Amino acid sequence: MSAHLLEVRGLTKVYRVRGRREPLRAVDGVSLYVDAGETLGLVGESGCGKSTLGRAILRLDAPTAGEVYFDGKRVDADSIHALRRGMQMVFQNPFTALDPRMTIGGSIAEGLEIHRIGKNRAARRARVAELMEMAGLDAGLASRYPHELSGGQRQRAGIARALAVEPRFLICDEPVSALDVSAQAQILNTLLDLQERLGLACLFIAHDLAAVRQVSHRIAVMYLGRIVESGPADDIVHAPRHPYTRALLDAAPVADPQAAKARARRAPEGEAAFAPEGFAGCPFCPRCRFATEQCARERPTLCGAEGGRLVACHHPL
Ligand code: ADP
Ligand code: MG
């Protein structure tokens, strides 16, 4: 049982990769929750396991271990079909959800047909127009094909398709990462509007903290398959406690070139690399300015701090 709309406990996804002796723990014992109407931002560098986590939650890929509860019910291979209407995904690349040979209206209507929503074709067509309007898309574009739309319009079509089955929870996996800055801002505004109008809960995934902080109530920071810090969005941004979160903030683009220069010097050096299987220390240790001998020896667990925050660090800031 779970009192949260979505609860994830110890979720793990291990890949066996050819040419690599050790299994890759792309998601390693992640626990998190999302309440109704709430947006949890999930942020971390490319390759840290964000998409794998999102896909495992929705069982687009079966997790290796761990549990997912949605609306108090255990999500497993059997129950997922009944629960899928409540949980939908918006992909980074809208072509993942939109069939290039189908009109935009047809793609959006597909979800309605699969779940037998709408009395007849006319009712479904009216609902498609309504969904397009909700996603900020001119309903006149229903007869167009995906390649005839701009990147931003295509992503709006992807959002409309996800909304078709009236989900209560949406996983948005880097929905704006492929778009230019102005299209990004507009789509983030649309997502904020949908949160309010529909009371939609959301797991918003991005590698860029700037996008995440705009739409999230809480933020979870992921590093190499694990959550290293989480808490209320404002607190994470204004007073990060994990050195990796600090580094992500320092790496975020700033308008003032002078400030950008000062910050660049503080950004972490090197690249994230999954540690060898036997390594027992903190995964961030090789890149951390504050690392001590203890950090190389002993992995910090995610511990509660004041103000609803969790941090996995021996020497939190
Ligand atoms: P992110 O979304 O944070 O960029 P991913 O979840 O896509 O990260 O990937 C996490 C890690 O898992 C990466 O090292 C990636 O190469 C690996 N990975 C992802 N999908 C697969 C797969 N199907 N098979 C093997 N390795 C994978
Ligand atoms: Mg990804």
Side-chain angles (χ1 to χ4, degrees):
M1 260 305 288
S2 168
H4 302 292
L5 180 64
L6 177 88
E7 185 168 356
V8 171
R9 292 186 199 152
L11 205 66
T12 299
K13 177 70 185 184
V14 178
Y15 288 120
R16 307 218 160 252
V17 187
R18 275 177 62 167
R20 208 189 124 104
R21 250 191 30 236
E22 285 155 349
L24 179 77
R25 305 182 77 84
V27 174
D28 195 1
V30 166
S31 299
L32 54 81
Y33 69 87
V34 183
D35 284 325
E38 182 187 48
T39 293
L40 175 67
L42 180 68
V43 66
E45 284 162 298
S46 175
C48 73
K50 305 180 297 296
S51 296
T52 303
L53 174 60
R55 295 178 60 83
I57 292 173
L58 291 191
R59 280 210 163 243
L60 299 174
D61 289 321
T64 310
E67 289 150 36
V68 177
Y69 295 85
F70 181 70
D71 209 9
K73 296 174 197 74
R74 172 87 185 261
V75 180
D76 58 28
D78 296 324
S79 67
I80 183 61
H81 304 288
L83 296 175
R84 182 137 290 153
R85 234 190 110 168
M87 320 192 265
Q88 290 285 311
M89 182 100 150
V90 174
F91 298 91
Q92 175 171 7
N93 178 358
F95 279 114
T96 310
L98 302 175
D99 185 336
R101 294 156 305 179
M102 225 185 224
T103 62
I104 296 299
S107 273
I108 299 170
E110 206 177 35
L112 300 175
E113 284 153 20
I114 292 169
H115 292 278
R116 299 176 205 278
I117 303 169
K119 282 197 297 280
N120 50 40
R121 284 186 75 167
R124 282 197 289 271
R125 192 169 303 148
R127 178 70 179 141
V128 166
E130 195 179 35
L131 288 161
M132 290 179 71
E133 182 273 321
M134 276 199 305
L137 205 56
D138 177 4
L141 296 172
S143 57
R144 300 284 185 86
Y145 287 86
H147 72 268
E148 299 178 288
L149 269 55
S150 73
Q153 288 172 328
R154 265 199 297 276
Q155 194 50 285
R156 290 181 186 281
I159 293 169
R161 183 182 150 99
L163 293 177
V165 296
E166 295 173 39
R168 295 171 63 199
F169 174 61
L170 216 55
I171 296 186
C172 298
D173 187 0
E174 309 232 21
V176 299
S177 301
L179 304 175
D180 63 62
V181 178
S182 74
Q184 282 193 8
Q186 287 161 15
I187 295 217
L188 292 178
N189 277 333
T190 299
L191 286 170
L192 277 167
D193 180 49
L194 290 170
Q195 280 174 11
E196 268 180 36
R197 275 167 75 182
L198 307 175
L200 206 59
C202 184
L203 179 67
F204 184 91
I205 299 175
H207 62 266
D208 155 26
L209 201 48
V212 165
R213 66 190 285 189
Q214 270 187 61
V215 294
S216 306
H217 300 100
R218 285 186 302 121
I219 291 176
V221 181
M222 194 168 183
Y223 188 74
L224 295 176
R226 296 203 182 89
I227 304 298
V228 295
E229 175 163 22
S230 68
D234 284 345
D235 299 349
I236 295 283
V237 169
H238 292 119
R241 303 214 56 202
H242 197 287
Y244 178 60
T245 311
R246 172 81 264 171
L248 278 182
L249 284 162
D250 288 346
V254 283
D256 174 14
Q258 210 67 41
K261 231 176 167 181
R263 280 180 168 201
R265 266 182 259 129
R266 282 191 285 153
E269 293 182 2
E271 257 179 63
F274 284 92
E277 192 76 345
F279 180 70
C282 172
F284 188 57
C285 168
R287 300 170 77 191
C288 185
R289 293 188 294 144
F290 307 99
T292 60
E293 196 231 331
Q294 183 193 15
C295 306
R297 215 171 355 100
E298 200 182 306
R299 180 172 302 152
T301 51
L302 196 58
C303 292
E306 66 290 350
R309 297 182 67 168
L310 295 172
V311 60
C313 179
H314 292 308
H315 314 290
L317 306 171

